[in-house]
Amino acid sequence: MKTIVYYFIAIFLGCHLQLNAQDLLVTVAGDSLNVRMHDGNGDYVRFDYTDYLRTTVRQLPKNRVRTIVPNYFAYLKMAAQTKVPGSADTLVHTPEIGLALPIENAFLDTVQVRIAYQPTWNMGVYTGLSKRLYGTKIGLNQMDLDYDKKVKSGFTIGAKADYFFKKKWGLGIRYDIFLSNARKDASNRSQVGIQFLGISALHRKALSTTGQYIQSSFELGYQPFSNRLSIDDSLKKLRAKSLGWGLSVAFIQPIHQRLSLSLTGSCFLGTSYKMVSKADGKSQTIHLNRNNFNDLSRAALTLGIHFSGNTGSK
């Protein structure tokens, strides 16, 4: 799993940032800026300037401006795709212009700062450690206590897709599974799986102008349980179904306009009062009372990678 995550990070870090800015502005100092022009009324020109994932609205005195070329970078891209020889050289006849020159921000008056990283949709995968939250029975010996601890501890893996219809609010779909594999001795073991498939109500809050934000979600959905028990070398399967719900809080760190990483803490809750036991080809339904119910609650801490689209404010 780590290898896959690092592979995707390497690919997207090698990609160029896709900016809406397509106009070229050249200052008298020789700086070349990739901007999106607003207007040039009065003694100032006003434009959007994007630095990493932050967009600022800036203005510059006209006596500091040498050249403005609308759609310069869009034309360069089109010329590269159609392989028109020499088309880029005909746009601006200023050989001292260098697109990689440092920008003298002292000449730029920042009028407004706004968040640029607000993806309309994102989808991703995650994995991490998880632990069941049911209480341990009283009176167990040390061997049973160690075995119960192994049964409760495991890992989780999942996938999710989110859509934000407002800047702060959205809906999503989530699939999550908890897995644990515990061995008591050579002939006794337990393989537990708890799945969750449901919908999410989402809320996000920006933390800074560089794109980090906190995303909270409430999940509601279907939560099946399974346990493959090996008792003295005889196999027994337990299955149950329940309605589950969960809460999660994630810190999102963008590393590209199309890619972000997340650190998420989540908790899923659910209870089953009926189980189906299958052994030796025979099935039996077991009804559990309130003092002996099957608690499916669990907590998890996960790392995720997410792909985003349609970044920009709404």
Side-chain angles (χ1 to χ4, degrees):
M1 187 66 185
K2 289 183 179 179
T3 304
I4 297 175
V5 171
Y6 292 148
Y7 176 73
F8 281 119
I9 291 175
I11 291 178
F12 279 86
L13 284 180
C15 298
H16 295 290
L17 211 58
Q18 297 182 358
L19 306 176
N20 293 325
Q22 296 291 350
D23 306 326
L24 172 66
L25 184 150
V26 184
T27 69
V28 295
D31 297 324
S32 57
L33 311 182
N34 187 347
V35 302
R36 184 172 69 86
M37 297 301 302
H38 284 204
D39 57 65
N41 300 327
D43 297 328
Y44 293 86
V45 293
R46 182 170 293 192
F47 51 87
D48 282 353
Y49 176 69
T50 301
D51 178 17
Y52 185 45
L53 295 172
R54 183 182 69 173
T55 297
T56 55
V57 181
R58 299 188 176 187
Q59 63 184 19
L60 188 64
K62 283 187 175 180
N63 59 8
R64 297 287 188 181
V65 178
R66 177 194 297 174
T67 309
I68 297 176
V69 185
N71 298 319
Y72 175 82
F73 294 97
Y75 191 89
L76 283 181
K77 183 177 180 180
M78 181 185 67
Q81 291 175 346
T82 56
K83 297 182 180 180
V84 178
S87 58
D89 298 332
T90 62
L91 290 174
V92 182
H93 301 286
T94 49
E96 65 272 21
I97 293 176
L99 299 182
L101 290 176
I103 297 169
E104 296 185 10
N105 289 315
F107 292 144
L108 303 179
D109 180 19
T110 300
V111 179
Q112 180 185 359
V113 178
R114 65 170 180 261
I115 302 299
Y117 189 79
Q118 294 175 341
T120 304
W121 61 265
N122 68 75
M123 59 180 61
V125 294
Y126 59 88
T127 185
L129 301 177
S130 184
K131 186 173 184 178
R132 297 183 65 182
L133 302 178
Y134 66 82
T136 302
K137 294 182 179 180
I138 299 175
L140 297 180
N141 57 40
Q142 189 60 47
M143 178 179 291
D144 289 334
L145 287 174
D146 293 340
Y147 177 62
D148 185 70
K149 185 177 180 180
K150 294 176 183 177
V151 172
K152 294 170 69 173
S153 302
F155 70 95
T156 187
I157 186 170
K160 62 197 297 291
D162 302 330
Y163 175 78
F164 285 86
F165 51 86
K166 293 290 185 181
K167 184 168 63 174
K168 293 184 178 181
W169 299 96
L171 295 173
I173 300 175
R174 180 168 182 169
Y175 173 78
D176 184 280
I177 182 170
F178 165 87
L179 297 170
S180 72
N181 191 341
R183 183 184 296 272
K184 185 176 182 180
D185 50 43
S187 58
N188 293 272
R189 62 183 301 177
S190 175
Q191 294 176 290
V192 176
I194 305 176
Q195 302 179 68
F196 176 88
L197 177 63
I199 59 175
S200 307
L202 310 170
H203 176 268
R204 62 183 175 187
K205 178 177 176 57
L207 294 180
S208 71
T209 57
T210 54
Q212 298 97 340
Y213 61 90
I214 295 292
Q215 179 171 309
S216 305
S217 61
F218 171 80
E219 281 92 18
L220 181 67
Y222 172 61
Q223 187 168 234
F225 164 86
S226 65
N227 189 0
R228 294 171 58 90
L229 288 168
S230 178
I231 304 174
D232 296 330
D233 292 328
S234 63
L235 183 62
K236 183 178 182 181
K237 297 180 182 179
L238 299 175
R239 295 186 180 276
K241 302 176 182 179
S242 72
L243 179 68
W245 62 278
L247 297 171
S248 67
V249 179
F251 171 75
I252 310 296
Q253 172 62 61
I255 57 177
H256 187 276
Q257 281 199 341
R258 299 294 184 186
L259 186 69
S260 61
L261 301 177
S262 67
L263 176 64
T264 306
S266 57
C267 181
F268 289 92
L269 304 175
T271 302
S272 175
Y273 293 98
K274 183 175 70 173
M275 301 184 68
V276 176
S277 174
K278 186 175 182 180
D280 299 327
K282 299 179 181 180
S283 297
Q284 178 185 7
T285 301
I286 303 173
H287 295 274
L288 306 173
N289 58 41
R290 293 188 175 274
N291 297 323
N292 196 31
F293 60 85
N294 186 23
D295 188 352
L296 304 179
S297 304
R298 65 192 190 278
L301 182 65
T302 60
L303 292 172
I305 183 169
H306 307 271
F307 306 93
S308 306
N310 299 333
T311 58
S313 58
K314 286 190 175 185

